[in-house]
Amino acid sequence: MFETYINDVLFTKQTDEMEKTEIIVVYTWTANQGKAEELKGIYKDVAAQMEETEPGATKVECYFDESTNILTVIDIFKDGDALGFHLSTTAAGHFPTLLQIAVPGSFLFCGEVPEPLKKAAIGMGLDARFSSHAFGFERSLAA
C-alpha cells in the first residue's frame, strides 16, 4: 500500500494544464515509553479533525512501527493557505500534548511553502526542511 501511495502521490508530474501548488509534509513522532497507544489515539483525532474542518487538507496517512514506536505521518495540502490554516488550528491545538508524550523527528515540507510558514514551522521548534518540486512523473495504476 505504501509503495502504491508513493507512486501515486509523492512522485507526481507537473503538467502544463495545472501549476503544482500542493504541499506534502512527511514527518515522524517517536512515542515515549508506554505512550504508543496514546500517540496513535491523538493522531486518529488529528486525522478526524482535519477531515472535518480542513477542506484544504486533501489526504492524511499514518504508519506505525511497533518495534520502534515511530509514527510516520504524510499530510497533503492543496496549497500554502491550507497548510497555514492547519498549522494555526489543528497543529497548534495538539502540539503541546504531543510534546508531552512523544519526540518529534524531522519534518520534510515538499512544495512551495510560503516564507512566513517556513518561519512558523521553525518557530515551533521543528527540525523542518523545505524542498521545492523539481521533477517527477505520474503513472496511472489502473488495470
Side-chain angles (χ1 to χ4, degrees), residues 116-142:
L117 295 180
K118 290 180 180 179
K119 289 179 181 175
I122 293 167
M124 291 172 73
L126 300 178
D127 176 14
R129 299 171 188 183
F130 304 94
S131 299
S132 296
H133 185 261
F135 52 85
F137 71 92
E138 182 174 350
R139 180 178 312 199
S140 173
L141 299 177

Side-chain angles (χ1 to χ4, degrees), residues 29-51:
W29 287 93
T30 302
N32 294 338
Q33 185 70 27
K35 297 294 185 177
E37 293 306 313
E38 189 174 349
L39 177 61
K40 289 189 278 187
I42 289 172
Y43 261 88
K44 285 179 185 176
D45 292 344
V46 166
Q49 183 178 349
M50 289 174 71
E51 184 175 22

Side-chain angles (χ1 to χ4, degrees), residues 5-21:
Y5 179 77
I6 294 294
N7 287 330
D8 281 349
V9 178
L10 294 181
F11 301 113
T12 58
K13 178 176 82 174
Q14 184 172 347
T15 65
D16 292 334
E17 298 87 43
M18 95 177 157
E19 184 178 327
K20 187 155 184 71
T21 60

Side-chain angles (χ1 to χ4, degrees), residues 25-109:
V25 187
V26 181
Y27 54 98
T28 62
W29 287 93
T30 302
N32 294 338
Q33 185 70 27
K35 297 294 185 177
E37 293 306 313
E38 189 174 349
L39 177 61
K40 289 189 278 187
I42 289 172
Y43 261 88
K44 285 179 185 176
D45 292 344
V46 166
Q49 183 178 349
M50 289 174 71
E51 184 175 22
E52 177 74 24
T53 66
E54 297 185 35
T58 61
K59 190 165 190 172
V60 175
E61 292 285 336
C62 296
Y63 302 88
F64 194 78
D65 181 343
E66 298 287 344
S67 68
T68 60
N69 284 338
I70 294 176
L71 177 73
T72 300
V73 182
I74 303 171
D75 295 335
I76 302 177
F77 300 96
K78 180 180 80 167
D79 55 23
D81 289 341
L83 174 60
F85 182 78
H86 171 73
L87 291 175
S88 67
T89 57
T90 308
H94 290 277
F95 201 68
T97 303
L98 286 165
L99 288 174
Q100 293 176 5
I101 65 158
V103 177
S106 295
F107 281 63
L108 175 60
F109 293 80

